[in-house]
Amino acid sequence: MPVRRESSFNAWVTIQIGCDNSCAFCIVPAVRGVEISRPFVDIVHEVELLASRGVTEITLLGQNVNSYGRDLALAQRQGGASDVRIRPMFAELLRAVAAVPGIRRVRFTSPHPKDMRPDTIAAMAESAAVCEQLHYPLQAGSDRVLAAMHRGYTAERYLERLVQARAAMPDLAVSTDIIVGFPGETDADFEHTLEVAAAAEFDFTFTFIFSPRPGTEAATMHDHFVDPAVAAQRFDRLKLVVERSALLKHRDRIGRTEEVLVEGPSRKNPGVVSGRTRQYKLVHFPSDTPIRAGSYVSVRIDTAAPHHLGGEMVEFLAEPSHKIHIPVAAG
Ligand code: SF4
């Protein structure tokens, strides 16, 4: 499984491929097959190698990262290790990669709410390098729709785990995915989604209108497709709720000083530098001098919009440690 380098200072590290779930709207299990976890030591070695080259931020990548390692344990058991417990090893993996010298930030995507275990929450809270950021896909707030999607959790269980995660990490930023207009979704179902979205107070929400993906179970539910005009209205109503909560979350950060990993000059204004906080918030701040991508600075936040923050740089914290490659022209 390949390691995808995103830049010289951050990298995506694939930890598993495939998925053992069967969400009715998703084609992944059909095209990628069952979950296959990459060996634990290979992942840790890869992260050590990346760190030795100056990477300071990694994102662990998989379809259902928090079930990572269950297949490895099963294979050990089948190989004769009768004392091995069949359970995920994601919490141990998080702790191991977060302990690699030079790694300042660890993120992961995506966990599945039904597999969000207390040991993962504890590993996040207790590992300084693991960022206070969680992508936690809700998909729907109605238990009836969640069951039709085969998601394996109820809205109540989802919210309970969210409360536990926030109790362990008070500064946790939470993003989610929500689908509106899943086949059979009634007005009452949608009202539940609005209620759960409001209760969850997400920092950011990826909202989608259901569209049938050929080859999935949901694509065969023609008799229950929601009128597109109704789905569009629901989408607009949901958007209002989630944008309001995103703006409130951002306003809460005004006056705080945040650690920012610099990504480079803003695309719109070269006099402005952009970067990300530990909560993956996009921050813009003015700078008279260029700041190398991969640097860490602190920024005092003074403005907030639903999708970004603005502020003033307070302090330069760390130079990037990756090398700059200067192209040499051939003679
Ligand atoms: S949505 Fe995610 S968990 Fe569900 S089947 Fe697709 S990849 Fe698996």
Side-chain angles (χ1 to χ4, degrees):
M1 282 176 248
V3 171
R4 274 172 32 212
R5 288 285 294 278
E6 287 300 296
S7 75
S8 40
F9 58 90
N10 62 11
W12 295 77
V13 178
T14 299
I15 65 168
Q16 69 181 177
I17 55 168
C19 181
D20 288 347
N21 296 306
S22 53
C23 301
F25 53 81
C26 180
I27 195 69
V28 165
V31 297
R32 301 247 176 103
V34 296
E35 280 172 26
I36 300 174
S37 299
R38 196 175 170 200
F40 193 101
V41 291
D42 287 10
I43 297 169
V44 176
H45 284 158
E46 200 72 59
V47 173
E48 288 169 345
L49 185 66
L50 289 164
S52 74
R53 293 175 181 166
V55 166
T56 60
E57 180 183 80
I58 57 157
T59 303
L60 304 178
L61 191 63
Q63 304 296 341
N64 183 12
V65 287
N66 45 0
S67 69
Y68 166 81
R70 195 157 32 204
D71 56 323
L72 300 177
L74 183 62
Q76 279 182 294
R77 175 77 75 87
Q78 287 166 344
S82 56
D83 56 336
V84 170
R85 279 175 56 213
I86 313 277
R87 62 177 183 84
M89 292 188 279
F90 185 60
E92 289 95 322
L93 184 68
L94 262 187
R95 289 182 192 274
V97 298
V100 171
I103 295 297
R104 291 177 65 129
R105 291 183 172 189
V106 176
R107 306 184 189 278
F108 56 89
T109 193
S110 287
H112 193 303
K114 82 174 167 50
D115 293 317
M116 195 66 187
R117 293 157 45 106
D119 62 349
T120 296
I121 293 173
M124 291 177 72
E126 292 164 13
S127 305
V130 178
C131 290
E132 297 80 10
Q133 181 218 349
L134 179 65
H135 184 65
Y136 196 49
L138 170 65
Q139 307 301 3
S142 151
D143 290 345
R144 214 181 60 81
V145 174
L146 286 169
M149 290 175 164
H150 310 309
R151 289 291 289 173
Y153 52 86
T154 61
E156 186 181 6
R157 161 109 191 265
Y158 176 96
L159 289 171
E160 275 171 13
R161 284 287 155 90
L162 192 54
V163 166
Q164 288 165 8
R166 283 186 167 136
M169 290 161 281
D171 201 16
L172 186 70
V174 182
S175 57
T176 198
D177 302 323
I178 299 179
I179 299 171
V180 298
F182 186 79
E185 181 190 73
T186 63
D187 286 343
D189 291 323
F190 176 67
E191 292 300 326
H192 287 308
T193 295
L194 285 183
E195 286 164 17
V196 175
E201 299 181 342
F202 295 116
D203 288 74
F204 187 78
T205 305
F206 297 91
T207 44
F208 306 91
I209 293 179
F210 171 79
S211 74
R213 186 87 194 262
T216 62
E217 181 187 342
T220 67
M221 300 175 173
H222 315 99
D223 294 348
H224 304 286
F225 280 2
V226 173
D227 178 339
V230 171
Q233 279 177 359
R234 290 178 186 166
F235 181 85
D236 290 345
R237 288 183 62 202
L238 177 64
K239 203 91 182 145
L240 284 178
V241 170
V242 298
E243 296 258 317
R244 190 185 311 137
S245 127
L247 183 57
L248 289 175
K249 287 284 180 184
H250 276 191
R251 283 187 180 151
D252 278 352
R253 306 197 87 81
I254 291 178
R256 300 174 50 145
T257 299
E258 306 268 2
E259 180 196 84
V260 172
L261 172 55
V262 171
E263 293 183 345
S266 151
R267 270 176 288 172
K268 291 186 185 152
N269 182 349
V272 169
V273 174
S274 300
R276 298 271 174 184
T277 68
R278 287 178 59 88
Q279 289 76 17
Y280 206 63
K281 308 277 186 191
L282 180 62
V283 178
H284 303 300
F285 60 96
S287 176
D288 295 338
T289 52
I291 302 178
R292 266 182 75 197
S295 304
Y296 285 85
V297 300
S298 62
V299 175
R300 194 186 56 256
I301 304 301
D302 53 27
T303 61
H307 301 288
H308 65 267
L309 300 167
E312 297 288 332
M313 185 172 131
V314 176
E315 195 181 355
F316 193 91
L317 299 175
E319 291 276 1
S321 47
H322 62 272
K323 294 189 176 61
I324 304 176
H325 297 286
I326 301 172
V328 178

